[in-house]
Amino acid sequence: MKIQENLRETARKLLADGEASLVIGYAPGSEVSRVVPAFISREDEVDRLVWNPLCINNLAKYLLDYRHEPGKVAVVVKGCDSRAINRLLQDNQITREKVIILGIPCPGLINPDLVAARLDPGAQITVAAVSEQDFSLQTEEETFTFTRDEALLKKCRDCEQHTPVIADFMLGEEIPPNDPADPFVAVKTLEELPVEERSAYWDKQFSRCLRCYACRNVCPACTCRECVFDQAEPCWVAKANNLSENTAFHLIRAFHVAGRCVDCGECDRVCPVNIPLSLLNRKILKDIKDLFNVPTPGTSLEELPPLGAFTKSDPDEFM
Amino acid sequence: MKAYTITRDNLGAWLDALARDYTLIAPVREEETVSLFKPVRGFAEINLGYTNSTVSPKGWLFPQTEEMFFFSTGGGQITLADAQTPGPAVLFGLRPCDIKGILALDPVFNGAYQDCYYQKRRQDTILVGLSCTRVERHCFCTSMGGGPTDGGGADLLLTEMDDGYGIEVLTPRGEELVNRYQQYFDADRENRVIPAREELGKKLAGQFTRNVDTTGVKEFLDQHFELPYWGELARRCLGCGICTYICPTCHCFDIFDQSPDGELGVRSRCWDSCMFSHFTRMAGGHNPRPTQKERVRNRFLHKLKYHRDRYNLDGCVGCGRCVTRCPVNIDIRQIIADLQEVARHD
């Protein structure tokens, strides 16, 4: 709980000194298995802030809502989310001087469904601890232990950066990267299927898309002032919900964020009908890595996205 | 009303027969965690063990995209042709909250204003309800005037029993359907069906994890349109359409034409969402709901006030879908509790 205390103290100081006008972090949600993005602008609200293994949401994109505010905005980021900060900075969506990055080295998160299945929904987590073997969540009543094997969130299994790649305040001890598991196993399995089966696989996924645009709205690479999918003229993708239009939506989106998707996993998390969107984005991520030998977008502020940078040494055999 | 029983084997045979004679729409499991109402070819495709489908079954009566008519403008003339309608259908395995959802849509499309598309589908569709056997953690139908075995509004109501299912006939149309397939049913001679359902209802009533008290909320909202609360809530809203699209009572739509050459085309309508920024944007660019605050407020006023103003019905049936799926935990149960808190301090 050291990190949570550091977080609250740092937030309190930033607000008290007038250094930040707003702190974006996590607060307890409507039930024990959920947290909510919290927007804290007063010192006396700082104790609402929590840090525990349920803090999944990537908060970086909320910075866009406050980019025209006069004051500085502080935001809590984990390793994965921190890549989104670099991404937004590279696209000049946010200004470095106007954001204060509260970095939290994150040892991995817990699958909230397992927490919901075992804990009383009305309980409050008082202490949360993560070890190499397990997660331990303490409530007023008792302590619950989940083994890491059963409970680690899927996206955390091949985490690239536990420690944020950019931060003004690092609120915990740096956690060295794992021996990374191959994040592209599922992509490779799909790549090996015959083309008809691959096509059938995606047809089934895209057919149930509701076009709710949650994947787009949550995405830190989606920052267009007016999205092509919201335009009536020209009509790139019709409003009609059918396999053809849905496929067009997903493929256009995947190509649009190509080289800019930071692999934070939010699209996957929010999809109400569980379309494995990270698989689509990781296919492109893998191809870009193979072609240009670059790290995951957002890993470094200096490394521009390969499709967004120009160098004289670019091969141009396709021209 | 009459009641019957049906064995598990006969239920399968009956559903196969229904799929042959009607368009049969039933819950289907897709992937591990998604269940959807879809047209099926027979019993083998159906998953009756679901608790609450991921998306509500309203889409059969009010499709996400529905062709209204075809048009041609050749030769200086405008010619219209009707779009195809699906014909007789059975919507099978509806949970009580979703039946109540349909009852909440009826006065919108089939009340003072008669929407011919909805009306046709509604008339052509027989509703077969299915009592719940489990309460999911986000279910709160009992707080919204419903109940897990309260199938009122359906034509038939099935309830799972030890040795098969009980079937209660709730309307003459339900009676006709049973009569047509009477070889699959046995008369409920020992009067077991209704007590079994009532017993199940009592058992499930104790399993709700959270009861929501809506007392006074509408009356408070009647008096208070502007509340700082909506602005606070809207800060975290992503402005996506999840809540509205999976909801059994949301019913907003947009109308659009598709015509590749400008001469031949189709006019369709499709679901729209008041959470989207362009939902109320007018041609000149003005938007009466300029920020997410006004949009979030609209959705919850619609659920908790407007629907009751217009139809004297709750706009929320307590299915809990939006609670489960909202990526930022905007939880209508919490909102109701918060509004009561705000009202207390007013």
Side-chain angles (χ1 to χ4, degrees):
Chain A
M1 297 311 264
K2 188 80 169 38
I3 290 178
Q4 183 170 296
E5 281 162 32
N6 282 349
L7 167 63
R8 289 178 181 176
E9 280 323 303
T10 310
R12 203 185 316 275
K13 191 157 186 321
L14 287 171
L15 292 170
D17 297 350
E19 188 62 20
S21 57
L22 181 71
V23 178
I24 307 176
Y26 304 95
S30 68
E31 52 191 2
V32 69
S33 54
R34 305 285 305 258
V35 298
V36 291
F39 302 82
I40 307 288
S41 50
R42 294 203 323 256
E43 280 173 73
D44 62 351
E45 293 176 317
V46 157
D47 289 335
R48 283 179 60 216
L49 289 170
V50 295
W51 166 249
N52 64 44
L54 289 153
C55 297
I56 302 177
N57 308 47
N58 180 350
L59 305 174
K61 197 176 181 183
Y62 287 113
L63 290 172
L64 299 181
D65 296 340
Y66 301 94
R67 61 185 143 177
H68 301 305
E69 303 266 318
K72 288 188 187 183
V73 176
V75 65
V76 173
V77 292
K78 310 180 290 287
C80 50
D81 310 333
S82 69
R83 293 192 295 266
I85 299 277
N86 277 342
R87 172 90 297 284
L88 294 170
L89 287 169
Q90 284 177 339
D91 273 359
N92 295 319
Q93 292 293 331
I94 53 173
T95 316
R96 184 67 185 91
E97 295 71 41
K98 286 191 67 183
V99 297
I100 300 169
I101 303 153
L102 308 177
I104 297 188
C106 167
L109 302 168
I110 193 168
N111 176 352
D113 290 338
L114 293 182
V115 175
R118 279 182 54 195
L119 274 67
D120 176 344
Q124 290 277 340
I125 294 170
T126 51
V127 182
V130 186
S131 76
E132 276 178 28
Q133 287 79 36
D134 49 39
F135 292 95
S136 145
L137 302 180
Q138 206 172 312
T139 68
E140 300 89 337
E141 305 283 305
E142 53 185 312
T143 302
F144 297 83
T145 309
F146 300 82
T147 66
R148 222 174 143 82
D149 270 354
E150 63 168 339
L152 188 65
L153 199 65
K154 201 169 126 243
K155 77 162 185 176
C156 302
R157 289 177 196 263
D158 37 41
C159 172
E160 238 183 289
Q161 281 121 357
H162 296 293
T163 307
V165 292
I166 181 168
D168 296 304
F169 295 88
M170 198 64 86
L171 303 174
E173 301 265 323
E174 193 174 320
I175 303 175
N178 290 347
D179 214 4
D182 180 358
F184 301 117
V185 175
V187 172
K188 287 175 188 161
T189 310
L190 201 56
E191 278 177 337
E192 280 158 19
L193 293 178
V195 67
E196 297 79 17
E197 283 179 44
R198 244 183 297 155
S199 175
Y201 174 84
W202 285 111
D203 284 357
K204 191 169 179 217
Q205 306 293 335
F206 294 152
S207 323
R208 66 171 185 271
C209 172
L210 295 173
R211 302 274 293 281
C212 67
Y213 300 126
C215 52
R216 173 196 69 181
N217 290 14
V218 81
C219 176
C222 271
T223 51
C224 290
R225 238 172 299 175
E226 182 165 19
C227 174
V228 287
F229 305 118
D230 290 341
Q231 283 177 342
E233 278 296 330
C235 180
W236 298 103
V237 173
K239 277 196 150 186
N241 185 303
N242 56 47
L243 178 60
S244 159
E245 304 293 344
N246 295 358
T247 304
F249 163 63
H250 284 289
L251 296 188
I252 291 173
R253 209 186 91 76
F255 277 102
H256 201 164
V257 302
R260 304 186 311 118
C261 159
V262 299
D263 198 23
C264 69
E266 281 289 83
C267 50
D268 228 47
R269 176 181 75 87
V270 303
C271 179
V273 290
N274 295 10
I275 298 173
L277 293 161
S278 66
L279 203 50
L280 195 62
N281 293 321
R282 276 191 172 178
K283 161 66 181 157
I284 295 180
L285 188 64
K286 174 176 173 289
D287 287 352
I288 287 182
K289 286 192 170 190
D290 289 348
L291 284 167
F292 300 101
N293 189 29
V294 289
T296 302
T299 303
S300 137
L301 190 55
E302 287 71 40
E303 180 101 34
L304 293 175
L307 304 180
F310 172 77
T311 63
K312 282 187 186 162
S313 60
D314 273 347
D316 57 358
E317 63 267 16
F318 61 92
M319 296 285 271
Chain B
M1 280 292 186
K2 279 189 191 161
Y4 300 85
T5 60
I6 188 168
T7 63
R8 282 173 211 283
D9 286 349
N10 273 349
L11 180 74
W14 180 42
L15 282 164
D16 286 339
L18 284 176
R20 270 197 306 276
D21 302 339
Y22 294 83
T23 301
L24 178 61
I25 318 299
V28 171
R29 185 190 295 267
E30 271 204 30
E31 315 298 318
E32 258 175 53
T33 50
V34 176
S35 81
L36 300 168
F37 275 81
K38 293 172 102 170
V40 293
R41 284 158 301 183
F43 177 62
E45 294 175 32
I46 301 174
N47 163 38
L48 289 182
Y50 84 107
T51 309
N52 208 339
S53 58
T54 310
V55 183
S56 93
K58 73 178 173 192
W60 176 251
L61 300 172
F62 168 47
Q64 177 152 17
T65 304
E66 182 168 34
E67 288 177 346
M68 300 165 80
F69 55 81
F70 296 90
F71 58 82
S72 71
T73 58
Q77 294 262 311
I78 294 179
T79 322
L80 304 181
D82 286 338
Q84 276 194 329
T85 48
V90 174
L91 191 44
F92 190 92
L94 294 168
R95 295 297 182 194
C97 57
D98 287 334
I99 299 167
K100 225 169 152 247
I102 293 170
L103 298 184
L105 292 179
D106 281 343
V108 177
F109 291 110
N110 219 0
Y113 176 77
Q114 298 278 310
D115 180 286
C116 62
Y117 304 99
Y118 180 89
Q119 195 183 31
K120 177 85 172 67
R121 283 173 173 264
R122 185 75 166 88
Q123 277 169 355
D124 282 350
T125 304
I126 299 169
L127 307 182
V128 181
L130 178 65
S131 294
C132 296
T133 50
R134 279 195 304 272
V135 173
E136 261 187 23
R137 69 187 152 108
H138 296 143
C139 291
F140 62 107
C141 65
T142 43
S143 300
M144 304 309 291
T149 60
D150 174 6
D155 295 301
L156 294 173
L157 177 65
L158 267 72
T159 301
E160 194 171 354
M161 308 203 313
D162 292 339
D163 52 348
Y165 288 82
I167 298 185
E168 288 168 73
V169 175
L170 304 180
T171 65
R173 189 155 74 157
E175 176 91 66
E176 269 174 50
L177 191 73
V178 168
N179 289 342
R180 184 169 173 194
Y181 299 96
Q182 53 183 296
Q183 68 271 29
Y184 300 117
F185 303 100
D186 299 305
D188 178 27
R189 283 187 204 86
E190 296 156 34
N191 293 322
R192 293 190 302 136
V193 172
I194 293 172
R197 176 174 55 76
E198 287 172 349
E199 190 59 32
L200 178 64
K202 266 186 227 152
K203 187 186 99 186
L204 295 179
Q207 295 180 11
F208 286 82
T209 54
R210 186 160 172 175
N211 291 309
V212 182
D213 178 13
T214 56
T215 316
V217 169
K218 176 177 183 303
E219 292 70 18
F220 177 68
L221 293 174
D222 285 342
Q223 302 299 321
H224 299 82
F225 184 65
E226 292 291 349
L227 292 172
Y229 178 71
W230 300 121
E232 276 306 307
L233 191 64
R235 282 181 159 204
R236 67 176 189 263
C237 178
L238 297 174
C240 75
I242 293 179
C243 52
T244 53
Y245 283 2
I246 62 179
C247 175
T249 69
C250 273
H251 51 259
C252 287
F253 61 84
D254 194 9
I255 292 177
F256 64 101
D257 291 346
Q258 278 174 292
S259 174
D261 61 1
E263 284 199 5
L264 285 174
V266 58
R267 175 161 294 182
S268 307
R269 68 174 173 190
C270 69
W271 293 355
D272 205 346
S273 170
C274 60
M275 293 292 106
F276 293 158
S277 58
H278 51 274
F279 178 75
T280 44
R281 191 173 63 197
M282 297 174 185
H286 174 68
N287 194 340
R289 291 188 201 133
T291 71
Q292 206 59 28
K293 175 192 134 186
E294 292 84 14
R295 296 168 207 142
V296 166
R297 175 176 63 194
N298 176 70
R299 179 158 199 274
F300 291 101
L301 284 181
H302 209 137
K303 298 297 160 205
L304 302 170
K305 169 177 156 56
Y306 301 151
H307 213 74
R308 281 181 64 186
D309 285 339
R310 285 171 202 159
Y311 311 114
N312 199 26
L313 290 169
D314 280 316
C316 170
V317 297
C319 72
R321 286 183 177 92
C322 55
V323 180
T324 309
R325 298 284 172 175
C326 176
V328 293
N329 189 223
I330 292 180
D331 180 337
I332 189 169
R333 303 169 308 170
Q334 185 65 42
I335 290 169
I336 291 169
D338 289 346
L339 286 171
Q340 286 192 321
E341 190 65 21
V342 175
R344 260 194 293 281
H345 290 96
D346 185 51

